[in-house]
Amino acid sequence: MQVKDVLAHKSGAVATIDPGRSIADAVAALAQHGVGALVVSSDGRTIQGIISERDVVRALNSLGPALLQTAVREIMTVNVHTCVPTDEVATLARTMTDKRFRHMPVTIDGGLYGIVSIGDLVKSRMDEMETEHDHLVDYISSAR
Ligand code: AMP
């Protein structure tokens, strides 16, 4: 199974935020979109960073309430790991587990195209295993 198969079961739009916006805005966007991370981008195509709930919690611990007025660029992760639609889900799941992040933007020709979360990958794998299971049960039943 490839990343494009996972994206096929998701709605298209990726939640992004401009690096100059405040953490208060980022928190509002996370809640509004019901997501755990925002891709940081000024134009919606170029990936400048990523900010997740975890970054907000860590920074809140060190900066306190002043964090809310801080700019997203101050706490975002700059070195973003990305993938392409033809990458294998199994490889991606291993990378995300090893590197301990739960979100991976998907690019086409270097531009933002989608995003997959570890939850999306687990759901896809479970669906795949259920289908395999059903086929095996059918096969065994028909062989009796
Ligand atoms: P997450 O598990 O996605 O909430 O993120 C945990 C940490 O990894 C946070 O510091 C994120 O900014 C960072 N992070 C999340 N996704 C990525 C990614 N694709 N590439 C690099 N860092 C990431």
Side-chain angles (χ1 to χ4, degrees):
M1 184 183 287
Q2 297 182 334
V3 168
K4 62 173 183 258
D5 303 315
V6 177
L7 288 177
H9 296 103
K10 291 188 66 173
S11 58
V14 184
T16 63
I17 190 163
D18 187 276
R21 298 286 289 277
S22 69
I23 299 301
D25 290 339
V27 169
L30 287 166
Q32 185 193 332
H33 296 292
V35 295
L38 302 168
V39 174
V40 183
S41 174
S42 301
D43 60 8
R45 184 176 192 280
T46 311
I47 300 173
Q48 291 157 275
I50 191 164
I51 181 168
S52 87
E53 297 162 330
R54 195 163 291 182
D55 297 309
V56 174
V57 170
R58 280 193 200 126
L60 186 59
N61 181 53
S62 50
L63 297 178
L67 172 69
L68 291 176
Q69 273 68 54
T70 304
V72 164
R73 67 165 65 85
E74 301 295 328
I75 73 160
M76 69 185 189
T77 299
V78 177
N79 292 321
V80 183
H81 288 261
T82 61
C83 62
V84 294
T86 49
D87 280 336
E88 285 297 325
V89 164
T91 313
L92 213 61
R94 176 155 297 278
T95 304
M96 291 168 87
T97 306
D98 288 349
K99 299 198 177 295
R100 295 178 182 275
F101 51 69
R102 296 165 291 182
H103 301 88
M104 184 86 91
V106 186
T107 63
I108 289 183
D109 295 332
L112 180 62
Y113 176 72
I115 190 164
V116 289
S117 71
I118 196 79
D120 297 328
L121 301 190
V122 169
K123 183 181 180 307
S124 298
R125 183 65 188 128
M126 282 176 67
D127 290 348
E128 194 179 42
M129 285 168 73
E130 270 175 31
T131 305
E132 280 172 13
H133 172 268
D134 291 348
H135 285 158
L136 280 172
V137 169
D138 286 349
Y139 175 74
I140 292 164
S141 307
S142 66
R144 278 192 185 147

